[in-house]
Amino acid sequence: MPKMLKKSLSMICSLAIVLTATFGIGCARKSTGSHGTMNLRLSGEPNLLNPILTTDAYSAQVVGTIFSGMLKVNEKLELEPDLAESYDISPDGKTYIFKLKPNVTWHDGAPFTADDVVFTFNTIIDPKTNTVRRSNYVINGKPIRFTAVDSHTVKAELPEPFAPFLLSAAAEIIPKHLLDNTNINTASFNRNPVGTGPFKFKEWKAGQHIIVVKNPLYYGKPPQLDRIIFKPISDYNAGKVAIIKGDIDEFDINPQDLAEMKKIRHLALYEYDQLQYSFVGFNLKNHHLQDIKVRQAIAYAVDRKAIVDAVLKGHGTVADVPISPVSWAYPTGNAITRYDYAPAKSATLLESAGYKKNTHGIYEKDGSELAFTIIYGQGGKASPKNAEIIQSALGKVGIKLTIVPMEWQSFLRIVNSGKDPKKFDLCMLSWSLSPDPDDYSIWHSSEYPKGFNFIGYSNPKVDALLTRGRTVNNHTQRAQIYAEASALIGHDLPYLFLYYPRTISAVNQRIHGLSEPGPAGLFVRIEGVSAD
Amino acid sequence: MMGNWATRLSIGFLTLISILSISMIWIGHPNDIHLNGNTNPTSPDIHHILGTDDLGRDIGSRILDGARISLGVGLIAMTISVSIGTIIGLFSGFMGGLTDELIMRVVDFIMGLPTLFIILIIQVILGPSLINAIVVIGATSWMGIARLVRAEILSIRERPYILAARARGFSPWRIAIRHALPNAVSSIIVSGILTMGGAILTESVLSFLGLGVQPPQASWGSMLQHSTDYLYTAPWMAISPGLAITLTVLSLNFIGDTLRERASGGRS
């Protein structure tokens, strides 16, 4: 018996050696044969490659290399001219004039003109177009009017001043000469796109790859790479194997894998902040949670620093306000109210609010226990752990929490029900924010019960600031307005802000010319990227 | 003969784990989270014999605490499926004819259904909970027992003493329960024990998918699920619950097999 065991063990050993050898050869061959080619992972298969129709991040990733807009968001999240040379805003904030670069051509050689810009925005505004972007160009029910003043000047007339419009004006432009008089929703263009960007579409093999190649006619700095191959790999572990083997050149890793990745010589690691924060939302229509003292008691009971350490392995920062520290409108340090871990304060606050511990050790008032449920959409790695830590922390203070993970669609149905009241106590979620700090749809009282203010937050001061922030065009003034609004919201504690997660990207050392790591990613200037 | 020591070990293992898991109700707080700036699972040492997980919980005590769930689910689900299976098997076997034919085709049909997917769908619709899991597992695992009982009854029902009982005018139910059923008890027990093993496995799968017990309560399946991020860096998080499931189901199978041998040996 022991003899047989030995034999099979040695067989397993030799098998393992053969396998590693094969992998080794595969790896070497791949890295020598790919000069001037960058391989990027897509976390899913794109559905369309039309910038005005796409809804998912991975389609947008490909589209971003093929198309360009009048303006683009840079590493600092500021807008800089791209297809436009310059722009002017009228003093009343209602008219925008964009001067376009001359001598820009489409990938098929046709000239790029103001007509293309007007066509793009009018197509988005057209209700027949199947796009989620329309609301960016409709202000209080009235659409923005785009006209071509001459072949290289575009005028946008707004029904009322609306500062966040500039970001919408940065949308990628599609060619009129290929799409006029076609049904945009079903056009073959959507799978065979033609743009003005640094790379031209070459080939799309469903489930295998999308290839884009250098655009020799590009108006900016000439692209360095010969081509980029996008590979849809949805599974995280498959992606991890691919970056280790050298099949892909960039991959966002989970913090748990950091130590393992550091040991791999051909990888460089970059860590940077995202325009994103995770939070637990309090349903402010709940009669317990309406009381700020109860919310404060919950906030003081939870050690958020420990959550960052345990769940994100320290690769994140505790959040106290609804705006990312990388945003230009982030409030100054002393304006922020911080509810740092102090469980002793929780008891004091609850008792001052008239709560008493019952025989089960749970606080109650008028016979109603502080017992809540927390809901979240399944799928993320962090949510279940966050929930368990919060449950344990609240339990120690005397607040009962039941965890209810839900399938995503059911979760969204409750949160977006459009009805008052909504059927949840606490909900856990993350917001990915736009580079513009305007988060009217999340915090303005008119956005409840329909809208993203699903917790029912209402503060007249915040409402006034959010409304004002949309009409002022001065950058400094807007920064102040949104900083003030964020600080007020942070103090009111409508959410228990958890953390700003950081992204850790592993990039193959053979890739050069990455942009400054930041929320816009590493490929903001993809034309400057090269590969050995 | 070889089965003997394996069976004894199995009984010993199950007894030990049952006693320890019940005692966990009074001692220790297995699900308390300890975050002391320690961001990694710690490997087994003198304080934590099986190590800790990434939230600082002692894996050994969670295994024992989870045993209550796994064994409890197995036991209750087994009771449910044995009850349903016995009643349907008895009824079908005793009625015979067209009724029997119909019931058996329905059983065939249900056996052909992908049980795990049905359980998943029901859990998604009704929401994940332990009670749902138990009921659903019990309600979808009775078919084997029903067929077994029916087969026993069919073979028994033509025996002289049953014919005699009929001739004396006893009601069919009295004959079924008082005279036929006792002959099928041994195979029901064997089948029940094997079903229990299956139920424990199913519960682990459900918990692994997040559809079984809900936190802070641990079950072996949910512990396994929790360990997937740490397979390379902290393998002890996966090994302990994995071994617990394997050993428990193996023990039940050993006991079931030995009982079956005894029962058939006794008859022939």
Side-chain angles (χ1 to χ4, degrees):
Chain A
M1 193 68 175
K3 217 176 179 180
M4 255 182 64
L5 195 72
K6 234 183 197 166
K7 213 174 186 178
S8 57
L9 256 181
S10 69
M11 252 179 67
I12 291 171
C13 287
S14 59
L15 196 71
I17 291 162
V18 171
L19 277 175
T20 19
T22 332
F23 278 132
I25 291 163
C27 180
R29 199 184 291 144
K30 284 248 158 61
S31 53
T32 50
S34 50
H35 280 295
T37 299
M38 177 162 71
N39 299 292
L40 291 181
R41 174 227 186 191
L42 300 176
S43 54
E45 175 87 19
N47 52 354
L48 299 168
L49 294 178
N50 182 329
I52 73 169
L53 303 180
T54 54
T55 50
D56 52 82
Y58 24 96
S59 303
Q61 208 181 329
V62 182
V63 159
T65 64
I66 303 174
F67 293 89
S68 37
M70 293 199 288
L71 310 169
K72 73 185 271 183
V73 176
N74 69 12
E75 297 93 325
K76 294 182 189 127
L77 300 178
E78 291 160 349
L79 289 165
E80 59 178 43
D82 194 359
L83 283 172
E85 225 167 29
S86 61
Y87 61 88
D88 266 316
I89 307 171
S90 68
D92 68 356
K94 285 162 74 170
T95 310
Y96 289 63
I97 305 277
F98 298 91
K99 274 272 178 211
L100 303 178
K101 283 195 175 112
N103 308 323
V104 174
T105 55
W106 291 98
H107 293 158
D108 63 357
F112 161 78
T113 68
D115 286 341
D116 294 311
V117 176
V118 173
F119 171 76
T120 301
F121 291 117
N122 285 343
T123 309
I124 296 177
I125 292 167
D126 185 349
K128 287 201 286 290
T129 306
N130 197 0
T131 181
V132 293
R133 293 168 174 75
R134 187 172 306 109
S135 60
N136 296 342
Y137 306 91
V138 179
I139 303 166
N140 279 339
K142 292 188 208 102
I144 296 172
R145 255 189 79 214
F146 292 89
T147 40
V149 177
D150 60 45
S151 67
H152 284 85
T153 311
V154 176
K155 182 163 79 174
E157 290 164 286
L158 281 59
E160 55 191 84
F162 188 69
F165 165 68
L166 209 53
L167 185 67
S168 312
E172 284 129 331
I173 304 300
I174 50 174
K176 182 181 181 191
H177 69 284
L178 294 175
L179 287 162
D180 209 6
N181 300 321
T182 60
N183 179 349
I184 184 91
N185 300 322
T186 56
S188 60
F189 176 90
N190 299 340
R191 292 187 70 87
N192 194 7
V194 172
T196 51
F199 290 89
K200 287 199 288 187
F201 172 81
K202 168 123 185 288
E203 180 182 81
W204 182 352
K205 279 204 173 141
Q208 290 180 35
H209 60 232
I210 295 174
I211 300 178
V212 297
V213 296
K214 182 190 281 191
N215 169 17
L217 306 172
Y218 186 56
Y219 54 87
K221 268 194 210 157
Q224 299 295 303
L225 289 166
D226 293 330
R227 55 179 189 160
I228 304 172
I229 304 178
F230 293 96
K231 300 176 176 173
I233 303 174
S234 56
D235 181 58
Y236 174 82
N237 288 311
K240 197 171 117 183
V241 172
I243 185 82
I244 293 172
K245 277 178 66 188
D247 285 346
I248 53 173
D249 293 312
E250 194 257 354
F251 184 61
D252 295 345
I253 59 168
N254 287 343
Q256 296 90 284
D257 293 325
L258 187 60
E260 189 188 346
M261 292 295 185
K262 271 187 182 155
K263 288 187 208 136
I264 296 165
R265 291 234 307 279
H266 70 260
L267 294 181
L269 296 163
Y270 300 91
E271 185 169 339
Y272 49 90
D273 286 299
Q274 283 290 344
L275 270 176
Q276 192 187 342
Y277 66 88
S278 299
F279 62 91
V280 173
F282 298 115
N283 188 339
L284 300 175
K285 304 289 169 176
N286 177 296
H287 67 281
H288 291 303
L289 296 171
Q290 255 167 7
D291 188 343
I292 189 169
K293 284 183 176 167
V294 173
R295 303 201 297 275
Q296 287 170 334
I298 292 176
Y300 282 127
V302 178
D303 187 352
R304 293 173 293 157
K305 179 74 180 62
I307 293 183
V308 169
D309 286 341
V311 179
L312 303 180
K313 305 285 165 215
H315 299 280
T317 331
V318 170
D320 293 287
V321 284
I323 187 165
S324 163
V326 286
S327 167
W328 46 263
Y330 188 74
T332 53
N334 50 9
I336 298 174
T337 317
R338 297 183 200 276
Y339 296 97
D340 288 334
Y341 181 53
K345 286 187 188 166
S346 303
T348 321
L349 277 163
L350 290 175
E351 273 151 29
S352 74
Y355 287 88
K356 287 198 171 58
K357 263 193 186 175
N358 66 17
T359 47
H360 302 105
I362 308 291
Y363 276 102
E364 66 171 31
K365 186 160 103 175
D366 308 327
S368 171
E369 273 188 343
L370 281 185
F372 303 111
T373 56
I374 182 166
I375 60 170
Y376 61 84
Q378 277 171 324
K381 291 268 184 207
S383 301
K385 289 180 194 168
N386 292 343
E388 281 193 53
I389 295 173
I390 295 169
Q391 178 185 52
S392 154
L394 296 188
K396 281 181 196 151
V397 168
I399 300 171
K400 198 175 156 192
L401 188 66
T402 309
I403 300 174
V404 184
M406 306 183 101
E407 188 257 329
W408 254 106
Q409 294 307 321
S410 332
F411 173 78
L412 291 178
R413 223 173 290 138
I414 291 181
V415 169
N416 294 335
S417 71
K419 288 186 204 124
D420 173 46
K422 292 178 199 277
K423 285 183 191 147
F424 72 91
D425 303 332
L426 280 73
C427 67
M428 185 157 34
L429 205 61
S430 294
W431 280 129
S432 287
L433 304 167
S434 115
D436 191 280
D438 171 51
D439 47 9
Y440 185 96
S441 58
I442 300 178
W443 299 112
H444 197 275
S445 57
S446 66
E447 297 288 325
Y448 179 87
K450 283 186 178 128
F452 290 133
N453 182 4
F454 42 73
I455 54 161
Y457 177 67
S458 169
N459 179 340
K461 272 192 204 158
V462 172
D463 281 359
L465 285 166
L466 292 174
T467 313
R468 216 167 94 72
R470 288 187 152 187
T471 56
V472 174
N473 276 306
N474 181 300
H475 190 77
T476 326
Q477 274 183 15
R478 287 195 79 213
Q480 279 169 1
I481 289 169
Y482 288 110
E484 196 185 332
S486 307
L488 278 173
I489 296 167
H491 177 80
D492 284 346
L493 212 66
Y495 292 168
L496 170 62
F497 298 99
L498 293 177
Y499 49 71
Y500 307 108
R502 272 203 292 273
T503 296
I504 309 170
S505 287
V507 181
N508 197 310
Q509 301 268 22
R510 70 187 196 89
I511 302 295
H512 308 283
L514 301 173
S515 48
E516 184 68 29
L522 299 168
F523 301 109
V524 175
R525 300 183 193 282
I526 193 128
E527 64 278 7
V529 175
S530 63
D532 292 338
Chain B
M1 276 305 106
M2 191 210 77
N4 236 335
W5 59 265
T7 311
R8 277 186 202 151
L9 263 182
S10 301
I11 295 174
F13 173 75
L14 290 180
T15 317
L16 184 71
I17 209 163
S18 307
I19 293 171
L20 286 176
S21 76
I22 291 170
S23 66
M24 284 310 288
I25 298 175
W26 296 281
I27 54 164
H29 300 277
N31 298 314
D32 275 6
I33 290 173
H34 303 282
L35 302 173
N36 298 320
N38 178 8
T39 59
N40 284 310
T42 57
S43 56
D45 60 18
I46 192 81
H47 303 290
H48 303 286
I49 300 165
L50 298 179
T52 67
D53 68 7
D54 59 333
L55 300 181
R57 293 174 293 202
D58 180 62
I59 292 178
S61 25
R62 268 167 77 82
I63 291 274
L64 291 178
D65 196 56
R68 227 171 41 246
I69 299 296
S70 290
L71 294 174
V73 167
L75 211 63
I76 300 172
M78 184 258 277
T79 314
I80 294 174
S81 79
V82 163
S83 315
I84 300 177
T86 307
I87 291 169
I88 290 184
L90 261 184
F91 182 73
S92 182
F94 232 86
M95 294 301 286
L98 189 65
T99 321
D100 175 46
E101 193 70 17
L102 261 176
I103 292 176
M104 280 305 116
R105 291 301 78 76
V106 171
V107 167
D108 285 343
F109 174 75
I110 299 176
M111 280 180 111
L113 293 175
T115 320
L116 187 63
F117 290 106
I118 293 180
I119 296 178
L120 290 181
I121 292 167
I122 293 176
Q123 285 289 73
V124 168
I125 295 171
L126 298 180
S129 90
L130 190 60
I131 308 282
N132 288 348
I134 294 174
V135 173
V136 169
I137 294 172
T140 51
S141 58
W142 52 266
M143 292 82 76
I145 293 174
R147 291 176 76 145
L148 203 91
V149 171
R150 168 187 171 267
E152 289 282 340
I153 299 297
L154 280 183
S155 77
I156 290 166
R157 86 183 202 154
E158 303 305 328
R159 292 196 187 165
Y161 74 97
I162 299 286
L163 293 177
R166 282 196 175 170
R168 287 188 62 180
F170 289 159
S171 80
W173 277 112
R174 180 181 161 148
I175 300 172
I177 292 165
R178 292 275 299 272
H179 303 285
L181 190 59
N183 283 291
V185 163
S186 58
S187 31
I188 292 176
I189 291 175
V190 170
S191 186
I193 287 176
L194 297 177
T195 308
M196 187 170 159
I200 290 175
L201 283 179
T202 312
E203 190 279 330
S204 304
V205 173
L206 286 180
S207 291
F208 185 84
L209 297 172
L211 294 168
V213 292
Q214 294 303 318
Q217 180 63 57
S219 105
W220 296 339
S222 66
M223 290 177 72
L224 265 185
Q225 176 2 268
H226 203 85
S227 74
T228 50
D229 282 352
Y230 297 92
L231 278 184
Y232 296 105
T233 46
W236 57 89
M237 279 178 66
I239 292 172
S240 308
L243 265 183
I245 295 172
T246 313
L247 290 180
T248 304
V249 176
L250 200 65
S251 301
L252 286 168
N253 286 353
F254 276 146
I255 296 170
D257 281 345
T258 307
L259 284 179
R260 186 183 358 236
E261 276 165 30
R262 290 264 171 92
S264 58
R267 203 179 293 168
S268 57

